[in-house]
Amino acid sequence: MADTGGPPTGMLPTGQVVRYGAGSLVTGIYSALPSALLLYFMTDTLAIAPTLAAAGIAVAKLWSVVCDPLVGRLSDISARRGKSRAPFLLWGALACAVAFALVFAVPPGLQGGAALLYVTASFVVAVTAYSVYSVPYVALPAEMSDDPHERTRIISVRLAFAFAGGLVGAAGGPALVGVLGGGRAGYAWMSLALGLGAGVAALCAWRAVMRLPRRPVPVASVGAQASIWSGLLRRRSFVRLTVPYILIAAAISTLTAALPYYVRYRLGADESLLGGLFFVMLLSSILGLPAGTILARRLGKPLALAVGIGLFCVAVGTLGLAATPMQAGVLLVLAGVALGGLQLIPFSLLSDVLRGYPTNEAALTGVWTAAEKSGLAAGPVLVAGMLSVAGFVPSAGGDAAQPAGVLTAVVLATALLPVALLAFPLWAAPKIMDRPDGLG
């Protein structure tokens, strides 16, 4: 990254913002693909019991709770020494391209416990590589501008690319599986194509990030560096923002983990319809970003976040009444519009908070992404738990007869559980202050 002696106070050139934002194509693919398909792949293709499959996913996600803050601290140390954060993106991109291609490429001879161990181990490697790439990348907006509204614009562009990557991962992934014949081979070829494609996009982002402006990072004392851990709870602004966002992430991951089962057992369709529903939801998320930006300016970011949570709850909660793909699609469009705000506004507030801790930006970002991933890990665990209680029968082709209670569990996991998880964030959102100097 180029050192310009300090961040701009006005608007950055649009081309510069777009080149930075394009790096989120990678984060979109790598976040959406496992969230949408991994649990379903393990239970309905590898015949792994839901609780065991969810445990394997949780191990990898919880490892990132340790890994993300560590990567953030290493990135901050590099920045304080006058070095760029860009090498983290380079090595993370190269590792991601290989690791994510392997997650769904389970060797044909592996069955049962061996398949579970393979997927868990490959996913741990993949989330480690993703941490190396994503933690420094997400920290950059705080270094790019002094203007909180400009940082909102930067993050809005970044999230537009992230949702586009989510379209590729959550909608294109299932579609590719169907086109490539389904089964293990279909999933393997799909993961290879998307893993390598995302790796190329990450390399492009690395080159762009090398030219981004950044402000000089103050040198912190050893005590100040250590206080990122010992004094975390004293950073009230960060805690007030992070705790509700963990539940927001859990609600989103619950919906995405449950949706494949909802499509199959409620709507009686396959991966092709699943890809279509993810497509309309994530496309509407991109279209919802400008609305989130406008609401944040007019109402303030906290109140705009509360509006987004409310709309998401209404749309998702009504999914239990939908009886046709068309009805479900309309409701997911509304949920997608709200989802844009549920991503944009917390990340915009995060960039405001980080301005108050210039020596620990990436370290705090690492804590944030670790907290986010712990929320994302909760979704598959909760869905798998409900399926197990209902007596779900895993199979190698998704054709096993299911007890009547499974349909009830699928509807509850899809429509009601995400709404329940959002009760506290809906109450807490208006209490998050909107000024960087008032957040702490």
Side-chain angles (χ1 to χ4, degrees):
M1 289 181 295
D3 189 348
T4 64
T9 56
M11 290 183 65
L12 292 173
T14 299
Q16 197 169 61
V17 175
V18 169
R19 287 192 295 273
Y20 164 73
S24 279
L25 285 170
V26 181
T27 64
I29 292 173
Y30 288 160
S31 296
L33 183 60
S35 296
L37 285 182
L38 190 53
L39 178 65
Y40 183 68
F41 167 67
M42 294 172 76
T43 61
D44 280 48
T45 299
L46 302 181
I48 298 172
T51 50
L52 294 177
I57 295 172
V59 166
K61 293 284 189 180
L62 293 177
W63 158 244
S64 68
V65 174
V66 177
C67 185
D68 283 8
L70 176 61
V71 171
R73 185 177 183 187
L74 293 174
S75 178
D76 281 336
I77 291 172
S78 177
R80 284 194 294 267
R81 292 174 177 171
K83 298 179 181 179
S84 171
R85 301 189 195 271
F88 288 86
L89 275 67
L90 172 61
W91 295 112
L94 294 174
C96 280
V98 177
F100 270 86
L102 295 176
V103 172
F104 290 90
V106 181
L110 295 186
Q111 303 288 339
L116 173 63
L117 289 175
Y118 171 88
V119 173
T120 302
S122 59
F123 198 31
V124 166
V125 174
V127 299
T128 304
Y130 180 64
S131 293
V132 174
Y133 175 84
S134 65
V135 171
Y137 177 80
V138 172
L140 285 168
E143 300 179 357
M144 292 169 64
S145 177
D146 284 321
D147 184 349
H149 294 301
E150 176 63 4
R151 293 195 296 272
T152 299
R153 184 176 78 99
I154 294 169
I155 293 168
S156 178
V157 172
R158 188 187 81 196
L159 288 176
F161 279 103
F163 284 129
L167 280 175
V168 175
L176 272 177
V177 171
V179 168
L180 295 170
R184 289 193 181 205
Y187 278 98
W189 285 111
M190 175 275 298
S191 67
L192 177 63
L194 294 187
L196 295 180
V200 171
L203 290 176
C204 295
W206 161 70
R207 290 186 60 85
V209 165
M210 291 182 68
R211 295 172 173 82
L212 287 175
R214 66 178 176 89
R215 73 181 191 277
V217 177
V219 177
S221 66
V222 173
Q225 295 175 27
S227 69
I228 184 64
W229 312 108
S230 61
L232 181 60
L233 292 179
R234 292 196 298 272
R235 291 171 165 84
R236 296 189 303 274
S237 59
F238 184 78
V239 173
R240 286 200 301 268
L241 179 61
T242 303
V243 172
Y245 189 67
I246 292 173
L247 293 172
I248 291 173
I252 295 170
S253 69
T254 298
L255 175 63
T256 56
L259 200 55
Y261 300 96
Y262 177 85
V263 168
R264 182 166 188 85
Y265 298 108
R266 169 72 172 178
L267 302 180
D270 58 13
E271 286 93 343
S272 298
L273 177 62
L274 174 63
L277 292 179
F278 273 123
F279 178 84
V280 299
M281 182 172 72
L282 292 172
L283 180 61
S284 60
S285 299
I286 297 173
L287 300 177
L289 290 173
T293 301
I294 293 170
L295 279 178
R297 284 181 176 270
R298 293 187 176 179
L299 303 178
K301 297 174 188 177
L303 187 54
L305 178 60
V307 171
I309 293 173
L311 177 59
F312 188 85
C313 288
V314 171
V316 172
T318 314
L319 277 173
L321 303 177
T324 67
M326 179 62 71
Q327 293 171 353
V330 169
L331 293 172
L332 288 173
V333 166
L334 295 176
V337 171
L339 184 60
L342 296 190
Q343 293 292 295
L344 169 64
I345 296 171
F347 275 95
S348 180
L349 285 166
L350 175 66
S351 71
D352 295 342
V353 170
L354 294 180
R355 298 291 295 179
Y357 309 107
T359 62
N360 293 127
E361 286 169 349
L364 281 172
T365 301
V367 175
W368 167 272
T369 58
E372 178 188 31
K373 289 175 184 176
S374 67
L376 294 175
V381 171
L382 292 171
V383 172
M386 295 183 73
L387 291 175
S388 295
V389 169
F392 182 85
V393 180
S395 67
D399 52 359
Q402 300 294 343
V406 167
L407 177 58
T408 301
V410 166
V411 172
L412 291 175
T414 306
L416 296 185
L417 186 54
V419 174
L421 290 168
L422 288 173
F424 175 75
L426 181 61
W427 173 83
K431 298 172 176 60
I432 301 173
M433 295 179 67
D434 196 16
R435 299 187 309 274
D437 60 351
L439 279 163

